[in-house]
Amino acid sequence: MTSAKQFTILFIATYLIQTVSLSSPDDRSGSCVLNFTSYPYQPTGECISDVKLKINVWDSWTTNLCCRNVLTTLSRALAIHAFTTQGGVFVSDVEWNSCTGPFVRQNSVSADTCGFDGLYYGSSNCSSVNLATIKQDKEYQQALNNCSLFGNSSSPLSFDDACDHCTSSMKELKQHLWDQYHQKNDDNKTENSICGCSSSYFGCSREN
Ligand SMILES: *[C@@H]1O[C@H](CO)[C@@H](O)[C@H](O)[C@H]1NC(C)=O
Ligand SMILES: *[C@@H]1O[C@H](CO)[C@@H](O)[C@H](O)[C@H]1NC(C)=O
Ligand SMILES: *[C@@H]1O[C@H](CO)[C@@H](O)[C@H](O)[C@H]1NC(C)=O
Ligand SMILES: *[C@@H]1O[C@H](CO)[C@@H](O)[C@H](O)[C@H]1NC(C)=O
Ligand SMILES: *[C@@H]1O[C@H](CO)[C@@H](O)[C@H](O)[C@H]1NC(C)=O
C-alpha cells in the first residue's frame, strides 16, 4: 500500500516537473523570452531517423543532425535577443529554463534532449559575455565590416572573396573571445563547447 502511495506521489511529482519544463520555446503564449518569428524552427526527418549520425557544429559541439537544427534555431533567436537588448549573448538560467522545452512543430525535440541545457548566461566563463562589451573590440568591428560585403553593390569583392574575408575575420573574433574568456585549466565540456574549443584550431587538449 505504502509503495503504491509513494508511486502515486512520484508520478504526480514527475508530471508537475514535466509540465513546468515542457512549455515550448516557440509557443507565443509561453514564457520563453526568445523570438522565433523571423527564423522559426524547421522540423527535420533526422529527428525520427534511427541512424544518429554524429556531426561537429561550431567546430566544438559534437551532436547529431537532428540537434544541429535546434542549435541553429536557438543561436539565431539568441543573437536577435542579444541584439535587441544589447545585453548577454546568452539569457539567464531562469529565462533559459523556459526555452528548453520541445518545439511546437516537432515536440520530440528540445534544447534539453539535445544536451544544450547549459547554454545560459553565467554557466561558464565563456557564456558570461555581453554584446555591448564585445562590440568595443576591434575584432568584432572587423568581422562586422568584412561580413557586410556580401551582395553589396559598392563592394568590388566577388562572393568567394567576401566569404573568405568574412570567415577569416570570424575565426579571428573567435580566437579573441577564446583568449579573453576561456579559463585554460577548466576542463568542462560545456564550457569548452561554448568557448568554441576545437582541437583543429586552438590546440585544445580534448575532443568534445
Ligand atoms: C518578434 O519578431 C517579429 C519579427 O521581427 C516582430 O514583428 C515581433 O514584434 C517580435 N515579437 C516580440 C514579442 O517582440
Ligand atoms: C560544467 O558546466 C556546466 C554548466 O555550468 C555544469 O552544469 C557542470 O556541472 C559543469 N561540469 C563540471 C564537471 O564542472
Ligand atoms: C570562471 O573562472 C574562474 C577563474 O578561473 C573560476 O574560479 C570559475 O569557477 C569559472 N567559472 C564560472 C562559471 O565563472
Ligand atoms: C558596402 O560596402 C561599402 C564599401 O566597402 C561600405 O562602405 C558600406 O558600408 C557597405 N554597405 C553595407 C550595407 O554593408
Ligand atoms: C577585415 O577588415 C579589416 C578592415 O576593416 C582588414 O584590416 C582586415 O584585414 C580584414 N580581415 C580579414 C580576415 O579579411
Side-chain angles (χ1 to χ4, degrees), residues 33 35-38 80 84:
V33 296
N35 187 334
F36 296 91
T37 308
S38 299
I80 292 170
T84 312

Side-chain angles (χ1 to χ4, degrees), residues 44-56:
T44 165
E46 298 298 342
C47 295
I48 49 172
S49 163
D50 287 338
V51 184
K52 297 284 181 234
L53 199 64
K54 287 284 179 191
I55 54 156
N56 186 279

Side-chain angles (χ1 to χ4, degrees), residues 30-176:
S31 53
C32 176
V33 296
L34 303 178
N35 187 334
F36 296 91
T37 308
S38 299
Y39 301 101
Y41 175 76
Q42 302 294 341
T44 165
E46 298 298 342
C47 295
I48 49 172
S49 163
D50 287 338
V51 184
K52 297 284 181 234
L53 199 64
K54 287 284 179 191
I55 54 156
N56 186 279
V57 286
W58 291 358
D59 280 322
S60 56
W61 289 93
T62 300
T63 185
N64 56 50
L65 277 174
C66 165
C67 293
R68 176 170 63 180
N69 254 18
V70 175
L71 194 56
T72 303
T73 306
L74 291 170
S75 315
R76 283 174 174 160
L78 284 170
I80 292 170
H81 187 260
F83 190 78
T84 312
T85 60
Q86 293 293 307
V89 170
F90 296 92
V91 298
S92 75
D93 56 343
V94 174
E95 288 173 323
W96 186 239
N97 279 340
S98 306
C99 300
T100 55
F103 287 97
V104 168
R105 296 179 67 201
Q106 189 161 37
N107 63 15
S108 58
V109 179
S110 70
D112 253 347
T113 57
C114 285
F116 304 142
D117 45 320
L119 279 185
Y120 56 86
Y121 189 92
S123 69
S124 65
N125 286 286
C126 283
S127 70
S128 309
V129 294
N130 272 294
L131 186 58
T133 312
I134 299 175
K135 277 174 87 168
Q136 292 169 3
D137 300 337
K138 83 172 189 310
E139 287 81 358
Y140 176 87
Q141 289 303 334
Q142 282 191 357
L144 192 65
N145 292 342
N146 295 354
C147 293
S148 302
L149 301 172
F150 290 101
N152 180 338
S153 50
S154 42
S155 150
L157 289 183
S158 69
F159 178 88
D160 288 0
D161 286 342
C163 191
D164 207 33
H165 283 274
C166 177
T167 50
S168 311
S169 49
M170 287 300 283
K171 266 187 215 166
E172 277 172 30
L173 174 59
K174 193 170 155 181
Q175 176 73 61
H176 170 70

